[in-house]
């Protein structure tokens, strides 16, 4: 991504302004604050603007993502050539679906395989498109299945891959999942920290805070 980026979401753009290529954002809040809806609209607006998107589905599988977006009339399936998905939870019920097109399957407990697929996708998008947006929904689900320190390394590696591709990324995290020392450490991995509490959205970037009007 060679130019600064706007998300296309009015409330979010009002507090973020334009994002520089390589910007990595953390989205936090309590359960039911609307984080997944915002992350899903972030994905849809990126696709709608013609940007390829890598979506890491940890909380819901790819079919749930399609169903959730249709509820808002955001038909992401019409952007199948631009949308790359790494689906982590679908195989939990037993068996492992076969990769198909731009949809790759992995497992919540197999972080090595996840990072290999992240590397393949980010390199592919960078070489083919020269730009990309990525969403990881959510890191808190990954923490439920793996040691916290391992998840921190995975998040750092994910951020590095997106930055190397000159992309923009949004990582979702639900408050209260990890121990306090880990929760205190997580925001330090990101350039921007967006917080939702169900009624107000705020953001901190470079030590400066902004609140949605």
């Amino acid at each position: 991504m060679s130019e600064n980026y706007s998300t296309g979401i009015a409330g979010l753009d009002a507090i973020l302004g334009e994002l520089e290529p390589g910007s990595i954002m953390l989205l936090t809040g309590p359960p039911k604050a609307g984080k997944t809806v915002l992350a899903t609209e972030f994905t849809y607006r990126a696709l709608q603007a013609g940007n390829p998107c890598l979506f890491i589905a940890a909380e819901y599988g790819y079919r749930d993502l399609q169903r959730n977006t249709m509820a808002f009339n955001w038909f992401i399936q019409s952007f199948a050539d631009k949308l790359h998905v790494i689906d982590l939870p679908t195989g939990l019920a037993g068996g492992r679906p076969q990769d198909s097109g731009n949809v790759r399957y992995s497992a919540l407990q197999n972080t090595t395989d996840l990072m290999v697929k992240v590397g393949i996708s980010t390199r592919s998008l960078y070489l083919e498109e020269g730009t990309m947006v990525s969403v990881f929904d959510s890191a808190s689900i990954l923490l439920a299945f793996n040691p916290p320190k391992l998840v921190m390394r995975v998040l750092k590696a994910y951020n590095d891959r997106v930055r190397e591709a000159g992309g923009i990324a949004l990582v979702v995290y639900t408050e209260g999942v990890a121990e306090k020392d880990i929760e205190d450490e997580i925001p330090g991995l990101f350039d921007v920290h967006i917080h939702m509490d169900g009624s107000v959205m705020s953001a901190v970037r470079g030590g400066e805070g902004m609140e949605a009007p």
Side-chain angles (χ1 to χ4, degrees), residues 80-93:
D81 59 327
K82 293 282 188 181
L83 178 62
H84 292 230
V85 176
I86 301 176
D87 181 322
L88 302 181
T90 295
L92 279 177

Side-chain angles (χ1 to χ4, degrees), residues 5 39 74 92 119 172 185-187 195 202 204:
Y5 181 77
W74 301 331
L92 279 177
V172 180
E185 196 175 335
I186 288 174
H195 184 266
S202 60
V204 176

Side-chain angles (χ1 to χ4, degrees), residues 61 118 161 166 176 182 201:
V118 167
R161 298 293 87 77
I182 295 296
M201 181 166 57

Side-chain angles (χ1 to χ4, degrees), residues 115-174:
M115 291 316 302
V116 168
K117 287 179 166 60
V118 167
I120 292 171
S121 295
T122 54
R123 278 195 300 275
S124 172
L125 290 173
Y126 177 72
L127 291 173
E128 293 176 12
E129 307 272 359
T131 181
M132 66 168 294
V133 169
S134 184
V135 170
F136 192 151
D137 185 17
S138 71
S140 41
I141 301 300
L142 207 62
L143 273 165
F145 286 83
N146 299 280
K149 291 297 183 184
L150 173 60
V151 175
M152 294 294 286
R153 291 197 293 274
V154 169
L155 290 177
K156 185 177 185 307
Y158 166 77
N159 293 353
D160 288 344
R161 298 293 87 77
V162 173
R163 287 192 178 100
E164 287 167 3
I168 302 284
L170 179 70
V171 177
V172 180
Y173 175 77
T174 299

Side-chain angles (χ1 to χ4, degrees), residues 5-208:
Y5 181 77
S6 297
T7 70
I9 304 171
L12 195 55
D13 287 341
I15 58 174
L16 294 180
E18 291 190 335
L19 296 163
E20 296 179 354
S23 295
I24 313 293
M25 299 175 286
L26 174 68
L27 172 61
T28 66
K32 309 298 183 185
K35 303 183 297 301
T36 288
V37 173
L38 182 64
T40 305
E41 183 173 5
F42 182 85
T43 303
Y44 176 72
R45 298 301 176 198
L47 293 167
Q48 197 177 37
N51 296 297
C53 185
L54 168 62
F55 192 97
I56 300 177
E59 182 147 7
Y60 303 101
Y62 180 45
R63 289 190 177 182
D64 293 315
L65 173 65
Q66 290 178 307
R67 193 160 42 241
N68 293 343
T69 52
M70 286 176 65
F72 293 94
N73 290 326
W74 301 331
F75 295 102
I76 62 169
Q77 51 269 51
S78 62
F79 303 103
D81 59 327
K82 293 282 188 181
L83 178 62
H84 292 230
V85 176
I86 301 176
D87 181 322
L88 302 181
T90 295
L92 279 177
R96 179 167 162 176
Q98 293 295 314
D99 293 354
S100 174
N102 289 342
V103 181
R104 296 182 172 91
Y105 293 90
S106 188
L108 287 160
Q109 307 94 322
N110 192 344
T111 55
T112 299
D113 184 65
L114 166 62
M115 291 316 302
V116 168
K117 287 179 166 60
V118 167
I120 292 171
S121 295
T122 54
R123 278 195 300 275
S124 172
L125 290 173
Y126 177 72
L127 291 173
E128 293 176 12
E129 307 272 359
T131 181
M132 66 168 294
V133 169
S134 184
V135 170
F136 192 151
D137 185 17
S138 71
S140 41
I141 301 300
L142 207 62
L143 273 165
F145 286 83
N146 299 280
K149 291 297 183 184
L150 173 60
V151 175
M152 294 294 286
R153 291 197 293 274
V154 169
L155 290 177
K156 185 177 185 307
Y158 166 77
N159 293 353
D160 288 344
R161 298 293 87 77
V162 173
R163 287 192 178 100
E164 287 167 3
I168 302 284
L170 179 70
V171 177
V172 180
Y173 175 77
T174 299
E175 294 170 348
V177 172
E179 299 293 334
K180 186 176 183 307
D181 60 332
I182 295 296
E183 290 211 335
D184 290 344
E185 196 175 335
I186 288 174
L189 298 176
F190 298 87
D191 304 305
V192 183
H193 181 186
I194 304 163
H195 184 266
M196 300 178 70
D197 66 3
S199 58
V200 175
M201 181 166 57
S202 60
V204 176
R205 177 168 59 178
E208 295 186 6

